[in-house]
Amino acid sequence: MILKAQVDYKKVLEFNPNDIGTLINIANVYRELKMPNKGIESLKKIIKIDPSFIGPYINLGFAYLQLDSLDLSIKYFDEALKIDPKEALVYSNRGNVYYKLKNYSAALKDINYSISLYPSNSFAYRNLALVYIATNKMSEACETLKFADYYGFEERYGDEVKILRAKHCK
């Protein structure tokens, strides 16, 4: 199915190489196919077409996070926040990058701000719990994991929160 989508999107791009919707969709297909550089190429092309569109900056931040290119990830999340300084998901994702960099104070600031903007974001609570675990604040981590569960983390993202609760919350 995903390969058929790739073929279809390539055909559309042959006809209209600057179709932003198709470029976004094919970038997602490349991510699924574990071809991140092709996806990054498509996202950067969108920025050249429309530098005011926030979507490719967010997707590039996430792509570089997955590739552990953390400085580039922060760069693109920062660019997204220049376009929309109230985009809650960007703060949560950038906070996750700061967590990976062990900059826990910056991570806490970003993730808590994200939650203030979007209080039902289960992924932000998961990110926050990881920071608490890393800083050995287990009661805060366990309470935060409860919120991640409550807001449907497992239905959307899998059983990571359940595993974290079993491991850290006795």
Side-chain angles (χ1 to χ4, degrees), residues 130-144:
L130 291 175
V131 176
Y132 285 142
I133 291 166
T135 57
N136 206 31
K137 295 181 179 176
M138 293 307 161
S139 66
E140 291 94 335
C142 293
E143 191 63 29
T144 303

Side-chain angles (χ1 to χ4, degrees), residues 2-169:
I2 201 81
L3 290 173
K4 183 173 178 353
Q6 179 188 21
V7 169
D8 290 345
Y9 292 138
K10 281 184 173 182
K11 285 180 184 174
V12 172
L13 291 172
E14 286 173 15
F15 176 72
N16 183 359
N18 294 326
D19 184 83
I20 289 175
T22 304
L23 287 166
I24 289 172
N25 289 334
I26 202 163
N28 290 332
V29 166
Y30 288 136
R31 187 181 67 236
E32 291 286 323
L33 293 173
K34 309 279 189 261
M35 301 169 68
N37 291 330
K38 295 286 284 179
I40 287 168
E41 182 182 307
S42 294
L43 294 167
K44 286 183 176 180
K45 184 171 184 177
I46 296 168
I47 291 171
K48 286 181 182 168
I49 296 167
D50 183 359
S52 68
F53 180 36
I54 193 171
Y57 295 101
I58 295 170
N59 289 336
L60 282 165
F62 192 67
Y64 284 118
L65 171 60
Q66 291 179 315
L67 292 171
D68 279 330
S69 296
L70 303 180
D71 291 336
L72 283 171
S73 181
I74 288 174
K75 172 189 171 190
Y76 283 102
F77 286 141
D78 287 348
E79 289 297 319
L81 291 172
K82 287 178 187 174
I83 295 169
D84 184 355
K86 297 285 187 183
E87 179 51 61
L89 299 177
V90 176
Y91 286 102
S92 175
N93 288 328
R94 189 176 70 177
N96 191 33
V97 177
Y98 285 132
Y99 156 76
K100 288 179 178 270
L101 290 168
K102 298 184 181 357
N103 184 345
Y104 301 127
S105 62
L108 286 171
K109 182 180 174 189
D110 269 5
I111 297 165
N112 281 320
Y113 188 61
S114 172
I115 290 169
S116 77
L117 294 171
Y118 180 12
S120 61
N121 179 6
S122 65
F123 207 85
Y125 289 104
R126 172 265 193 190
N127 289 345
L128 184 58
L130 291 175
V131 176
Y132 285 142
I133 291 166
T135 57
N136 206 31
K137 295 181 179 176
M138 293 307 161
S139 66
E140 291 94 335
C142 293
E143 191 63 29
T144 303
L145 289 168
K146 288 179 191 174
F147 280 103
D149 260 348
Y150 177 79
Y151 289 117
F153 184 93
E154 187 168 359
E155 292 81 22
R156 295 191 72 199
Y157 305 108
D159 63 357
E160 180 184 4
V161 164
K162 185 190 319 183
I163 293 167
L164 287 169
R165 285 182 75 181
K167 182 176 180 181
H168 297 286
C169 305

